């Protein structure tokens, strides 16, 4: 009993440290960038990417909840982002007469999260009955289905209200009316509402939700389910319930990030949310470390900036990007470098606190065995 | 527990190291990159034209054509006029709105004065909202949706708008009595294709005709068209209107010929380029009609000179995207001369001067049309040209 108490206590401390790292990096990043912006030290190129970076961080953290914590490989995250993006744009247009920009933005983000959450429930029920590869393939399929459905959704708005149809002919607008969603053209003429500060708050909110969920009773049940489903079920935990919690939370947060992303541009088209975007977000998660929230934050930020920073290479830009990705992957798995970092870590140990990796223990043990 | 903790520290360091490595890589490479970049070519002050378009990805054909066409015009002007120098900085957007805005921000850091582009529609809508806010003049060679210019006084088009093309095509078919029964095959997942289709059917309805069959496909499944072609054939269509790009169109032509179905095929400007396609049997395109503003086999002197330079430099026949881009640069040149815009003029001043010039005095003769003028809505007004392919070249009708 005593040891168990101790373990829980040390778990708590680890959790607190890792959470502090995540919050700390986000706040520090925000403060530094804000100061640089006000001092005019930052290029237009970087400044234009601040909001997408915030959106991608939220997406990566929310996907990490599904992939890393719940242990289900989801390849359809861009689908939830798309639902959040388009419902957010419609909400922002519907409430465009409201006085304050931020009121509209908050409403749009909440609506985006709500719709994505509903979609998460609808998709989660059949999908989470599957496991492993099958689940991955079905999430991929649902991501594509969402995009293809959005391709044939036409939404118009006039003084009588919203009109929704699957073709242009189904919409009869009055003189004052205008189209909000135009099938494959998506939404055009969107009023830009997103700001860096709003993005920062969304990242903080995402971290707050995800980190607290991980450390809750639910979170421990989710991780137990991931590590050994049979054992977890044998003590009375409901697999579907807990997996749904993680999946739907991930979907809601992705929807909110999608709304933030869409409202940063004057146009958004369904083609943006294709399979590539899902993979793009997954790459953030994998490169940052599956189950590692702080890693997701850093890798999402770095990998969003990287392709733009490589523009000097013109023709070889994407090639260089791919090479950098490979090098990062190799470097983080290199035994010599690992030994180096292990040596360095001894010196750091005394001074610095630690971040906890929410990894499968079995895997961690293997790695320990390798480097001992 | 201790071991797991140690792992945690290592994991963190590992990642920190990864980030640092990535960072140094980027920095060192960026340093190499800037060294390799050519310094201002002429040495004297240049008027900076920024270009944005897809140089990679599925739409790269259009972006590269625009880039090459514009580069030829810039080189010509720089060689001809020692007192006036252009510099072109063309950035890739992969046909993606987000990347296009990033590319535009990059060009802003570079000090862009005039923007050529963007090439494709959705990115152009996103970028034009930015240029409108920043007051940078924008003339797109090929983004043809009306959303590009809507509500933005600083954005102009050199190509026809999608609805304009659809309407003109419908009028042309009716006026020339080309088809008794008309079928349409279009890409319903594509903004360009849907835009033309909607205007086309609306105009056709006005003149009392109806479409007997509508076949759709999407960008993802464009390999097999037997369903659409059988549909058109069994509906008895003697004219098939194809407001689509040439890659799927080439497959439609090939499959129709296998089925022994030979209606009149009628395309729009996206059809341009079909003859240059690798592995395409040009006989299949015989008697294909298309609306295009640019005929590379035209007898026109300027066109012949442009086509010759382009072929020498890039080893292929230019399409209308290249010609449009060439015209854009010359339109910039004409406006710079008329309004006295130089390298020292700030982008916002150049923008106001250009807007005034394009809406009032501009009357521009280019490769893609004579006496082009622009309305305050940014749309160009020029005559459409319908060509028919005979013996592997375009012949004006």
């Amino acid at each position: 009993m005593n040891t168990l108490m101790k373990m829980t206590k040390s778990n708590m401390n680890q959790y607190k440290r890792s959470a502090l790292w995540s919050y700390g990096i986000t706040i520090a990043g925000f403060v530094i960038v804000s100061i640089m912006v006000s001092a005019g030290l930052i290029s237009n190129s970087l400044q234009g990417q601040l909001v997408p970076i915030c959106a991608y961080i939220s997406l990566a953290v929310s996907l990490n909840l599904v992939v890393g914590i719940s242990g289900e490989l989801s390849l359809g995250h861009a689908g939830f982002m798309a639902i959040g993006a388009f419902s957010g744009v419609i909400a922002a247009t519907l409430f465009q007469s409201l006085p304050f920009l931020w009121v509209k933005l908050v409403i749009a983000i909440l609506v985006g999260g709500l719709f994505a959450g509903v979609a998460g429930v609808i998709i989660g029920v059949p999908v989470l009955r599957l496991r492993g590869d099958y689940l991955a393939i079905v999430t991929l399929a649902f991501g594509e289905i969402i995009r293809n459905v959005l391709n044939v959704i036409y939404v118009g708005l006039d003084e009588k209200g919203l009109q929704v149809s699957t073709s242009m002919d189904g919409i009869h607008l009055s003189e004052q009316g205008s189209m909000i969603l135009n099938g494959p053209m998506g939404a055009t003429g969107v009023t830009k509402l997103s700001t860096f500060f709003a993005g920062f708050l969304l990242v903080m909110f995402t971290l707050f939700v995800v980190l607290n969920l991980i450390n809750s009773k639910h979170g421990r049940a989710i991780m137990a389910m991931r590590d050994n489903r049979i054992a977890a079920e044998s003590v009375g935990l409901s697999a579907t319930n807990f997996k749904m919690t993680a999946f739907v939370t991930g979907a809601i947060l992705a929807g909110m990030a999608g709304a933030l992303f869409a409202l940063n541009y004057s146009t958004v088209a369904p083609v943006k949310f294709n399979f590539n975007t899902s993979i793009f977000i997954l790459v953030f998660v994998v490169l940052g470390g599956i189950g590692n929230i702080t890693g997701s934050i850093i890798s999402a930020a770095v990998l969003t900036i990287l392709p733009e920073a490589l523009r000097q290479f013109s023709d070889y830009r994407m090639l260089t990007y791919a090479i950098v990705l490979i090098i990062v992957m190799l470097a983080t798995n290199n035994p010599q470098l690992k030994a180096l970092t292990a040596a360095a870590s001894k010196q750091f140990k005394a001074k610095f606190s630690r971040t906890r990796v929410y990894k499968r223990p079995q895997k961690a043990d293997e790695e320990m065995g390798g480097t001992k | 527990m201790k071991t797991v903790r140690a792992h945690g520290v290592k994991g963190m360091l590992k990642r920190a190291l990864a980030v640092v490595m990535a960072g140094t890589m980027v920095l060192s490479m960026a340093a190499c990159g800037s060294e390799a970049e050519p310094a201002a070519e002429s040495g004297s002050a240049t008027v900076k034209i920024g270009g944005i378009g897809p140089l990679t990805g599925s739409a790269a054909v259009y972006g590269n054509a625009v880039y090459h066409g514009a580069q030829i015009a810039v080189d010509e002007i720089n060689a001809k006029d020692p007192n006036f120098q252009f510099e072109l900085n063309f950035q890739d957007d992969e046909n993606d709105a987000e990347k296009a805005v990033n590319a535009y921000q990059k060009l802003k850091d570079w000090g862009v004065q005039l923007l050529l582009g963007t090439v494709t529609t959705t990115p152009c809508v996103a970028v034009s909202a930015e240029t409108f806010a920043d007051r940078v003049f924008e003339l797109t060679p090929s983004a043809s949706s009306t959303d590009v210019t809507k509500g933005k006084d600083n954005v102009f088009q050199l190509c026809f708008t999608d609805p304009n093309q659809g309407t003109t095509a419908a009028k042309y078919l009716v006026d020339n009595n080309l088809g008794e029964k008309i079928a349409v095959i279009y890409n319903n997942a594509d903004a360009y294709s849907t835009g033309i289709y909607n205007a086309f059917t609306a105009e056709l309805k006005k003149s009392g005709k109806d479409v007997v069959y509508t076949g759709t496909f999407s960008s993802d499944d464009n390999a097999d068209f037997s369903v659409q072609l059988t549909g058109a054939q069994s509906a008895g269509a003697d004219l098939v209107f194809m407001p689509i790009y040439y890659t799927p169109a080439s497959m439609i032509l090939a499959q129709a010929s296998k089925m022994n179905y030979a209606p009149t095929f009628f395309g729009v400007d996206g059809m341009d380029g079909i003859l240059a396609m690798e592995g395409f049997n040009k006989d299949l395109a015989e008697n294909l009609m298309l609306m295009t503003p640019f005929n590379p086999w035209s007898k026109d002197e300027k066109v012949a000179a442009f086509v010759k330079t382009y072929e020498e430099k890039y080893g292929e026949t230019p399409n209308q995207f290249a010609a449009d881009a060439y015209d854009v640069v010359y339109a910039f040149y004409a406006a710079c001369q008329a309004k006295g815009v130089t390298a020292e003029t700030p982008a916002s001043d150049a923008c106001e001067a250009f807007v005034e010039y394009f809406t009032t005095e501009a009357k521009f003769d280019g490769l893609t049309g004579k006496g082009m003028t622009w309305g305050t809505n940014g749309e160009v007004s020029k005559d459409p040209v319908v060509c028919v392919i005979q013996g592997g070249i375009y012949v004006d009708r």
Side-chain angles (χ1 to χ4, degrees):
Chain A
M1 202 58 202
N2 220 354
T3 35
L4 192 72
M5 287 284 286
K6 255 188 195 163
M7 271 179 74
T8 326
K9 217 174 174 186
S10 98
N11 260 332
M12 276 303 290
N13 285 337
Q14 277 190 351
Y15 158 73
K16 274 185 190 154
R17 278 192 222 110
S18 104
L20 276 179
W21 264 104
S22 299
Y23 291 129
I25 284 183
T26 314
I27 294 172
F30 173 73
V31 170
I32 293 170
V33 172
S34 298
I35 291 170
M36 281 171 77
V37 168
S38 53
L41 288 171
I42 205 164
S43 66
N44 287 316
S45 173
L46 192 57
Q47 211 171 334
Q49 290 178 73
L50 293 176
V51 175
I53 286 172
C54 289
Y56 283 130
I57 290 177
S58 291
L59 285 160
V61 170
S62 62
L63 183 64
N64 210 339
L65 177 66
V66 179
V67 176
I69 308 304
S70 170
E72 305 292 3
L73 183 58
S74 167
L75 298 178
H77 216 51
F80 298 121
M81 185 188 175
I83 291 177
F86 286 101
S87 50
V89 165
I90 293 173
T93 320
L94 269 178
F95 294 103
Q96 60 192 349
S97 52
L98 287 180
F100 299 107
L101 275 183
W102 60 267
V103 174
K104 287 184 267 184
L105 182 62
V106 168
I107 291 176
I109 288 179
L110 290 179
V111 169
L114 179 74
F115 275 81
V118 171
V121 173
I122 295 170
I123 293 169
V125 170
V127 163
L128 292 174
R129 288 172 189 279
L130 305 165
R131 292 174 203 188
D133 304 346
Y134 302 102
L135 185 140
I137 291 166
V138 174
T139 51
L140 190 164
F142 271 108
E144 290 297 288
I145 289 171
I146 290 172
R147 180 172 68 83
N148 280 302
V149 167
L150 288 170
N151 257 340
V152 291
I153 288 188
Y154 292 79
V155 179
L157 176 69
D158 62 8
E159 63 280 354
K160 278 180 245 150
L162 272 184
Q163 298 184 16
V164 183
S165 169
T166 54
S167 83
M168 198 72 180
D169 309 328
I171 294 195
H172 309 282
L173 292 173
S174 65
E175 285 293 303
Q176 288 82 36
S178 65
M179 295 297 291
I180 305 177
L181 289 194
N182 232 329
M185 278 182 253
T188 48
V190 182
T191 318
K192 287 173 64 173
L193 297 174
S194 299
T195 59
F196 180 41
F197 184 61
F200 164 70
L201 290 182
L202 183 66
V203 172
M204 290 301 278
F205 176 74
T206 308
L207 286 175
F208 178 77
V209 170
V210 171
L211 291 172
N212 276 299
L213 176 63
I214 292 172
N215 194 47
S216 68
K217 188 179 145 200
H218 267 72
R220 283 187 286 274
I222 291 168
M223 283 185 274
M225 200 67 63
R226 170 195 73 186
D227 295 335
N228 193 329
R229 187 170 173 141
I230 296 169
E233 278 179 322
S234 77
V235 294
L237 299 176
S238 154
T240 325
N241 269 1
F242 288 109
K243 287 203 180 289
M244 272 296 264
T245 311
F247 193 74
V248 173
T249 310
I252 292 173
L253 294 172
M256 295 171 92
L260 177 86
F261 181 86
L263 290 169
N264 187 45
Y265 298 99
S266 70
T267 180
V268 57
V271 69
K272 172 76 202 169
F273 307 101
N274 58 11
F275 180 54
N276 283 348
T277 308
S278 292
I279 293 297
F280 197 53
I281 303 165
L282 189 64
V283 168
F284 298 154
V285 174
V286 173
L287 235 66
I290 291 177
N292 185 334
I293 304 297
T294 319
S296 290
I297 299 174
I298 297 171
S299 72
V302 171
L303 292 183
T304 312
I305 298 171
L306 193 58
E308 291 309 313
L310 294 174
R311 276 203 181 271
Q312 280 89 343
F313 293 91
S314 55
D315 287 355
Y316 304 102
R317 184 164 67 99
M318 290 325 280
L319 181 70
T320 325
Y321 179 65
I323 292 172
V324 171
L325 286 192
I326 294 170
I327 290 175
V328 171
M329 275 307 232
L330 286 179
T332 49
N333 277 312
N334 185 308
Q336 276 87 27
L337 278 170
K338 269 185 180 174
L340 254 176
T341 50
S345 78
K346 270 183 191 164
Q347 297 175 345
F348 274 37
K349 225 177 205 173
K351 288 180 187 171
F352 287 87
S353 52
R354 296 124 203 191
T355 177
R356 180 178 170 200
V357 181
Y358 300 94
K359 248 190 182 169
R360 291 163 200 260
Q362 173 199 346
K363 255 193 182 166
D365 286 340
E366 269 170 28
E367 283 192 48
M368 290 324 298
T371 48
K372 237 171 198 171
Chain B
M1 224 37 236
K2 229 174 185 174
T3 49
V4 177
R5 261 199 242 159
H7 176 78
V9 176
K10 250 197 335 191
M12 183 195 80
L13 277 168
K14 235 163 47 180
R15 281 181 303 282
L17 186 80
V19 172
V20 172
M21 289 262 313
T24 32
M25 283 279 301
V26 175
L27 285 179
S28 59
M29 284 177 169
C32 305
S34 49
E35 270 169 288
E37 215 167 292
E41 276 162 28
S42 55
S44 69
T46 54
V47 173
K48 291 178 169 174
I49 302 180
I52 301 172
L55 299 179
T56 56
S58 57
V61 175
Y62 314 115
N64 280 306
V66 166
Y67 181 26
H68 294 159
Q71 190 63 54
I72 288 179
V74 166
D75 291 346
E76 275 180 16
I77 292 167
N78 286 351
K80 201 164 59 185
D81 190 344
N83 301 319
F84 190 89
Q85 298 287 308
F86 270 136
E87 190 180 347
L88 177 68
N89 184 343
F90 204 94
Q91 293 289 336
D92 184 15
D93 69 4
E94 300 165 44
N95 193 13
D96 180 285
E98 184 195 352
K99 308 259 167 55
V101 172
N102 287 343
Y104 168 68
Q105 301 290 2
K106 196 89 195 170
L107 289 173
K108 242 169 79 185
D109 287 329
W110 173 68
V112 63
Q113 287 172 286
L114 307 165
L115 188 65
L116 177 157
T118 75
V119 174
T120 42
T121 293
T122 301
C124 195
V125 178
V127 170
S128 55
E130 304 293 326
T131 58
F132 178 68
D134 295 338
R135 305 310 296 165
V136 173
F137 186 81
E138 183 178 356
L139 177 60
T140 169
S142 51
S144 48
S145 163
T146 43
D147 291 319
V148 169
T149 51
K150 198 159 76 187
K152 291 154 226 158
D153 63 340
N154 66 319
V155 185
F156 289 76
Q157 287 166 319
L158 197 109
C159 56
F160 288 118
T161 61
D162 298 337
N164 190 337
Q165 277 208 59
T167 315
T168 320
K171 271 190 192 143
Y172 188 86
L173 292 185
V174 172
D175 292 349
N176 292 285
N177 228 347
L178 277 173
E180 278 305 308
K181 290 182 168 178
I182 297 169
V184 186
I185 300 177
Y186 79 103
N187 182 348
N188 65 349
D190 181 58
Y192 165 80
S193 202
T194 1
I196 300 177
Y197 167 76
N198 288 334
F200 178 79
T201 42
E203 178 66 31
L204 214 57
K205 258 187 202 146
K206 266 190 222 159
S207 53
K209 277 202 174 186
D210 218 359
V211 175
V212 294
Y213 172 79
T214 308
T216 60
F217 64 97
S218 77
S219 315
D220 303 325
D221 62 348
N222 53 7
D224 182 35
F225 292 96
S226 48
V227 175
Q228 292 90 331
L229 284 168
T230 318
Q233 193 174 27
S234 51
D238 57 355
L239 186 138
V240 178
F241 180 60
M242 301 192 289
I244 53 179
Y245 287 120
Y246 63 82
T247 319
S250 69
M251 278 179 251
I252 292 181
L253 292 177
Q255 286 168 20
S257 123
K258 267 190 204 138
M259 289 166 56
N260 286 323
Y261 177 42
T264 312
F265 285 104
F266 194 98
V268 286
D269 61 2
M271 194 68 77
D272 184 39
I274 193 163
L275 293 176
M277 232 181 110
E278 254 174 67
F280 178 71
N281 179 1
K282 285 182 185 172
D283 296 341
L284 290 173
E286 193 69 15
N287 292 326
L288 169 71
M289 294 172 82
L290 72 161
M291 274 177 49
T292 171
F294 174 67
N295 177 358
W297 292 277
S298 149
K299 297 280 179 294
D300 186 275
E301 233 173 77
K302 267 158 88 186
V303 173
F306 170 68
V307 171
K308 190 163 167 275
T309 323
Y310 197 97
E311 280 174 342
E312 274 169 12
K313 216 167 166 182
Y314 302 108
E316 57 188 21
T317 311
N319 57 18
Q320 51 136 352
F321 285 86
D324 283 334
Y326 182 88
D327 279 357
V328 167
V329 175
Y330 269 95
F332 279 161
Y333 182 58
C336 281
Q337 298 294 323
K339 289 287 171 188
V341 170
T342 63
E344 280 79 40
T345 317
S348 54
D349 293 357
C351 179
E352 303 315 324
F354 269 52
V355 170
E356 197 197 320
Y357 174 79
F358 273 88
T359 48
T360 53
E361 53 191 285
K363 197 165 167 60
F364 178 69
D365 290 336
L367 305 179
T368 61
K370 298 262 180 287
M372 290 180 220
T373 55
W374 281 266
T376 43
N377 59 1
E379 288 176 19
V380 69
S381 120
K382 58 181 178 183
D383 292 328
V385 182
V386 175
C387 295
V388 59
I389 295 179
Q390 275 169 358
I393 62 167
Y394 296 171
V395 178
D396 291 342
R397 255 181 75 100

